[in-house]
Amino acid sequence: MSVLPLVFTSGWASGINAYAVVLLLGIFGATGVSDEVPASLQRTDVLVVVAVLFLCEAVADKIPYVDTAWDAVHTVVRPVAGAVVAALLAGESGSLPEIAAGAIGGSTALVSHLVKAGTRMAVNTSPEPFSNIALSAVEDLGVAGVVTFAIFHPWIAATLAGTLLVAGLAIVIFLASRIRRFWRRRAQRREEKRRGQQPVVPPAGAPWG
């Protein structure tokens, strides 16, 4: 059976939460649920590290503005993780060239990550933190559900991941005005902070104090 649908789904999920993808696949492989998971993802040290990073992301991803900073750091991490996981899956299966799988997984993860980051910028225009918490929880559950489903029904899961990816792009385009507002607010805060750090110089001839 072709590993292509699992490659695509893992790439989409890696763009949202790469640590959850590696953790889930590793657990599925280590427990014997799936034979398609490479041994390198089942190693105990790998599972421990990604579990700790997953917990860090679970916290950072729910705090307004911290989530955007976290996304910025992971602009490289998530696509690379998506490419590596896809290449490993292809190498284990042998039904798809590893380079092609890496390109599919990495590019899909990049698009998915940009959708996630753009959505968070739009959400951060709202002053309350509850929308961030709710959206993060939905993303985590969505990744867990779709990746788990991909193990048993890969083509259906890939179709679902593709639908969610297209829907996410449409939502980001719809929220473009809110995203621009986010960047304006951020630039304004930086300018205010810069002005606040500048020393106050009195006019010539005016006494100090």
Side-chain angles (χ1 to χ4, degrees), residues 91-181:
E92 183 73 13
S93 171
S95 61
L96 183 70
E98 294 180 33
I99 295 178
I104 294 171
S107 58
T108 305
L110 177 59
V111 176
S112 179
H113 163 75
L114 293 176
V115 169
K116 173 188 171 80
T119 304
R120 287 311 179 85
M121 291 178 191
V123 170
N124 280 334
T125 60
S126 175
E128 44 76 29
F130 304 108
S131 54
N132 296 74
I133 296 173
L135 184 57
S136 177
V138 169
E139 289 171 348
D140 292 341
L141 292 173
V143 166
V146 173
V147 171
T148 301
F149 198 64
I151 297 296
F152 303 100
H153 305 284
W155 284 105
I156 298 176
T159 302
L160 180 59
T163 302
L164 291 173
L165 186 61
V166 172
L169 287 170
I171 290 173
V172 169
I173 293 173
F174 178 76
L175 297 175
S177 61
R178 297 192 68 173
I179 295 173
R180 286 194 294 269
R181 196 185 314 160

